[in-house]
Amino acid sequence: MPLHCVVCVKQVPDTTQVRIDPETGSLVRSGIPSVINPFDLFAIEAALRARDGHGGSVTALSMGPPQAEEALRKTLGFGADRAVLLSDRAFAGADTLATTYALAAAIRRIDGEQPVDLVVCGKQSIDGDTGQVGPGIARRLAFSELTYVCAVDRISPEERHIRAWRQREDGRELLEAELPACVTVTEGCNAIRRAALPDLLAASRQPVEVWSVDDLDVEREDLGLKGSPTRVSKIFAPPARERGEMLTEPDKPLAAAVADLMDRLAARGLAFGSARG
């Protein structure tokens, strides 16, 4: 039985070049290159492996400005079968609540055209860093929810269930849920394939469907800034930490350096006594 997967991807600023405006406290996006959210690369691979193992198709979905089409074309280069971009000023400024509202509406439309069995997301984005989009989509669609999946053990479209390992702070746990399901995957859950040059060239000629707010069954007041109860008031970089003083010297014995350290700690009330004598 074929499997239809929808993988949600986000185009984010390249964090190696992100700058913050010291006056406004906001990200300076002008002139900053964008990339696919790194965690979403593992989601793309998970969706492609599910399709490759069972047949079917993968639909890549994103929401963003027109330039986000570049990220979707890369998913086509990896092997996705279809790409859909939600792009409309009405979507701008959305927090996670408004974002999941729009994405869930898009998935409902996709499901109406071809039933969706599995939605796959990265565990979080490197700009918002909330980890709420995947669970929010699952809640809105009433799909089974599996978060922080580090390995997919088995998918059975015929039996309508998925079994996967979930990463915990104290180990891993094996979960089983009914399909349709929404899964968020961790980094390292699989090895990301490389897109071959001919596939990338072919992807540049494939169409990316662009949907506006008029293409979805939504209420405008629940989208974008209007539908966002939360706001980012300020973004700032932590102050640079001064380099600590090095007590070791090439010709200084280690015991003397340790004694010096203990004396300094004692002087600050952080240690008792002295290491000397």
Side-chain angles (χ1 to χ4, degrees):
M1 181 176 178
L3 193 71
H4 183 200
C5 302
V6 172
V7 57
C8 297
V9 300
K10 184 179 183 182
Q11 189 179 59
V12 296
D14 186 344
T15 55
T16 62
Q17 301 188 44
V18 164
R19 294 179 292 111
I20 297 175
D21 188 316
E23 295 185 2
T24 64
S26 60
L27 289 177
V28 177
R29 297 181 181 269
S30 177
I32 302 298
S34 296
V35 296
I36 295 179
N37 177 47
F39 295 115
D40 295 346
L41 294 173
F42 297 101
I44 295 167
E45 181 63 30
L48 293 173
R49 290 190 182 198
R51 179 205 61 190
D52 294 346
H54 300 278
S57 61
V58 171
T59 299
L61 173 65
S62 186
M63 184 176 81
Q67 57 264 34
E69 184 176 317
E70 177 186 353
L72 285 172
R73 289 203 177 279
K74 289 182 179 179
T75 69
L76 293 172
F78 282 121
D81 303 282
R82 180 187 184 189
V84 177
L85 173 63
L86 305 184
S87 189
D88 193 303
R89 293 188 65 86
F91 300 133
D95 67 357
T96 53
L97 190 70
T99 296
T100 58
Y101 178 67
L103 291 175
I107 295 171
R108 286 194 191 95
R109 174 176 168 177
I110 294 170
D111 182 72
E113 300 168 358
Q114 180 185 358
V116 174
D117 302 291
L118 189 65
V119 176
V120 191
C121 307
K123 69 172 186 177
Q124 65 198 72
S125 64
I126 60 173
D127 54 354
D129 209 35
T130 66
Q132 297 175 352
V133 171
I137 291 172
R139 177 72 174 179
R140 291 186 182 278
L141 297 175
F143 281 14
S144 301
E145 176 186 345
L146 292 86
T147 57
Y148 297 99
V149 167
C150 56
V152 176
D153 184 69
R154 181 173 184 265
I155 300 176
S156 175
E158 296 81 12
E159 299 175 14
R160 305 302 295 162
H161 82 266
I162 178 174
R163 189 167 62 199
W165 288 98
R166 183 178 190 267
Q167 187 66 53
R168 294 166 50 100
E169 291 184 359
D170 56 351
R172 301 197 307 172
E173 61 182 350
L174 184 61
L175 303 176
E176 188 169 315
E178 294 181 353
L179 295 178
C182 181
V183 173
T184 69
V185 299
T186 63
E187 67 278 21
C189 70
N190 47 47
I192 302 170
R193 69 188 67 190
R194 291 182 178 273
L197 181 58
D199 295 331
L200 291 173
L201 293 175
S204 67
R205 297 187 294 271
Q206 285 184 257
V208 172
E209 300 173 46
V210 181
W211 294 354
S212 70
V213 64
D214 295 326
D215 296 309
L216 302 177
D217 183 13
V218 291
E219 299 293 336
R220 285 179 176 266
E221 58 267 24
D222 293 327
L223 298 168
L225 280 175
K226 291 182 179 180
S228 300
T230 61
R231 299 285 191 278
V232 178
S233 59
K234 185 178 182 182
I235 301 174
F236 61 93
R241 299 178 63 178
E242 296 182 2
R243 183 178 178 181
E245 180 183 356
M246 303 298 292
L247 299 179
T248 57
E249 300 174 7
D251 299 328
K252 189 174 186 178
L254 180 60
V258 171
D260 192 7
L261 173 62
M262 295 301 293
D263 285 345
R264 290 171 182 249
L265 292 174
R268 298 186 182 185
L270 302 175
F272 295 100
S274 170
R276 303 180 189 279

